[in-house]
Amino acid sequence: IVQYTSVETNEHNMCPDLCLAFTGLYATLEICSLKVAAQKITIIPLSPQLQALYCDPDSAHNIQYLHEQTQQILIQSRATQFILVIDDITV
């Protein structure tokens, strides 16, 4: 993934029952409910993905379009207290 997008992945240990990924506050743990970490989970952080999307003019345009449409819907729904059926929110 890195060579194509410059987005690096993070790999973390995970409980074999998939109940806990050892990240953040749990990064130093090695067991979960008396079970030893037996799996790895690959995480792709969101921020670098969004930054990579903004590097491409077409993707940046699509993201801006989605943002503008969402803002219009929010303004309208706040004014009318009603959410209309939307048939075109993506490009």
Side-chain angles (χ1 to χ4, degrees):
I1 292 176
V2 175
Q3 68 185 26
Y4 298 111
T5 65
S6 299
V7 176
E8 294 190 20
T9 60
N10 298 324
E11 195 171 82
H12 300 281
N13 289 325
M14 185 164 201
C15 173
D17 291 334
L18 305 176
C19 63
L20 178 68
F22 301 129
T23 65
L25 296 174
Y26 307 105
T28 58
L29 294 179
E30 294 183 9
I31 60 171
C32 168
S33 301
L34 304 176
K35 296 179 184 173
V36 177
Q39 297 191 51
K40 295 273 187 192
I41 183 170
T42 301
I43 298 173
I44 303 172
L46 181 60
S47 295
Q49 291 180 65
L50 293 175
Q51 290 170 350
L53 284 173
Y54 272 104
C55 289
D56 175 61
D58 290 334
S59 293
H61 174 77
N62 292 340
I63 294 168
Q64 185 62 33
Y65 173 81
L66 179 61
H67 174 73
E68 290 169 359
Q69 294 301 310
T70 301
Q71 293 308 307
Q72 287 181 3
I73 292 167
L74 289 172
I75 289 168
Q76 187 175 28
S77 67
R78 286 182 187 130
T80 63
Q81 298 295 309
F82 184 73
I83 299 175
L84 298 173
V85 175
I86 308 300
D87 63 354
D88 177 31
I89 191 65
T90 60
V91 193

